[in-house]
């Protein structure tokens, strides 16, 4: 069964600290992996998209990594800001144009 | 360059009623997908429209139907509403059906069924 599992479910960090969010998937065939940021009450916004051949991609303070062999991805946030408080959703593109969404990690950045 | 717009932003309906949600895709996009997002969960795929036809469908009953117009805008219709249909309904647009295409989401319609 195609699944995307994210951990932790929720996370609290202090402003200025770094954090890493995890995504494990069992999607086959694999096409791409995406990370989205979703602010409360808003639609998700794309952070990164990685294909099979890419193992890292950055977008400002956000860096995503992909290990296609172990089917794991991580999203690292550097020098967190209050505006980073949001849900982060991992999405894996599979066969037949399918996109499988994780449940998200809810991040709270406190001053 | 307008992004994805959805209307209305909020809606309250009673069980058994019918609802229509609307979506205008990002300029230049021709494919529209609809998602249901329950509180604290990730989005669940409902269906995708391309060239005015439903191309893919998720695990949702026939009470959920849609339409795409020649200008690429789309509607989501839900009949015989249940309390469990209360959720944020997200529309996403892309160029083409290939799943390497970046998805652009609207801010959703919050539907409450009482």
């Amino acid at each position: 069964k195609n699944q995307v599992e994210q951990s932790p479910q929720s996370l609290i960090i202090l402003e200025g600290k770094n954090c890493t969010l995890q995504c494990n998937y069992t999607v086959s065939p694999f096409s791409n992996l995406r990370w989205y940021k979703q602010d409360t009450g808003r639609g998700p916004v794309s952070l990164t998209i990685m294909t099979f051949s890419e193992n890292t991609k950055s977008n400002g303070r956000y860096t995503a990594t992909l290990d296609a062999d172990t089917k794991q991805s991580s999203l690292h946030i550097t020098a967190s800001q209050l505006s980073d408080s949001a849900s982060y959703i991992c999405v894996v593109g599979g066969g037949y144009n399918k996109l499988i969404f994780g449940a998200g990690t809810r991040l709270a950045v406190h001053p | 360059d307008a992004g994805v717009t959805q209307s209305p932003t909020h809606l309250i309906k009673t069980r058994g009623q019918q609802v229509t949600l609307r979506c205008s895709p990002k300029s230049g996009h021709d494919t529209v997908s609809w998602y249901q997002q329950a509180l604290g969960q990730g989005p669940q795929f409902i269906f995708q429209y391309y060239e005015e036809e439903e191309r893919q469908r998720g695990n949702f009953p026939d009470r959920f139907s849609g339409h795409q117009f020649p200008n690429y805008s789309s509607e989501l219709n839900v009949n015989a509403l249940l309390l469990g249909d209360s959720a944020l309904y997200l529309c996403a647009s892309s160029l083409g059906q290939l799943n390497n295409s970046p998805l652009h989401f609207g801010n959703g319609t919050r539907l409450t069924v009482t």
Side-chain angles (χ1 to χ4, degrees):
Chain A
K1 182 181 177 183
N2 289 327
Q3 282 188 315
V4 176
E5 295 184 353
Q6 295 187 242
S7 62
Q9 188 173 24
S10 62
L11 182 63
I12 300 173
I13 62 173
L14 294 177
E15 187 179 12
K17 298 297 186 182
N18 303 335
C19 68
T20 299
L21 314 180
Q22 301 290 342
C23 174
N24 297 336
Y25 61 93
T26 56
V27 177
S28 182
F30 172 86
S31 176
N32 58 71
L33 188 142
R34 312 163 185 229
W35 284 94
Y36 284 86
K37 177 187 178 187
Q38 185 175 22
D39 293 316
T40 301
R42 311 276 288 183
V45 174
S46 179
L47 295 175
T48 62
I49 301 176
M50 290 182 290
T51 59
F52 184 88
S53 60
E54 299 173 291
N55 56 25
T56 186
K57 183 164 279 189
S58 292
N59 178 356
R61 295 179 296 102
Y62 300 100
T63 298
T65 64
L66 173 63
D67 186 335
D69 291 333
T70 62
K71 299 188 177 181
Q72 295 179 325
S73 176
S74 64
L75 180 69
H76 186 74
I77 304 174
T78 303
S80 60
Q81 300 176 359
L82 298 179
S83 60
D84 292 330
S85 295
S87 288
Y88 292 84
I89 303 173
C90 175
V91 184
V92 178
Y96 307 107
N97 298 324
K98 298 286 188 187
L99 290 176
I100 298 94
F101 285 71
T105 292
R106 186 177 298 274
L107 174 66
V109 181
H110 289 181
Chain B
D1 183 17
V4 179
T5 58
Q6 293 186 242
S7 64
T9 55
H10 294 83
L11 202 52
I12 299 175
K13 289 287 189 178
T14 304
R15 272 182 304 174
Q17 285 189 315
Q18 178 266 342
V19 67
T20 297
L21 311 182
R22 295 177 175 81
C23 172
S24 292
K26 178 180 169 67
S27 178
H29 284 183
D30 57 8
T31 303
V32 173
S33 302
W34 286 92
Y35 295 85
Q36 180 194 67
Q37 186 176 27
L39 203 60
Q41 300 296 317
Q44 298 293 315
F45 175 70
I46 302 175
F47 43 53
Q48 180 188 75
Y49 276 84
Y50 174 71
E51 293 186 336
E52 301 180 50
E53 290 188 14
E54 183 182 296
R55 300 292 179 166
Q56 293 186 63
R57 190 178 183 90
N59 189 25
F60 279 81
D62 292 345
R63 298 187 297 109
F64 290 77
S65 63
H67 189 78
Q68 186 179 34
F69 300 94
N71 66 354
Y72 307 121
S73 67
S74 177
E75 289 181 348
L76 163 65
N77 301 293
V78 187
N79 294 323
L81 285 167
L82 304 174
L83 295 179
D85 294 332
S86 295
L88 180 68
Y89 287 85
L90 294 165
C91 170
S93 72
S94 59
L95 180 60
Q97 290 181 274
L98 295 179
N99 69 11
N100 284 336
S101 301
L103 278 182
H104 292 256
F105 285 86
N107 286 325
T109 294
R110 172 70 63 187
L111 172 65
T112 302
V113 182
T114 62

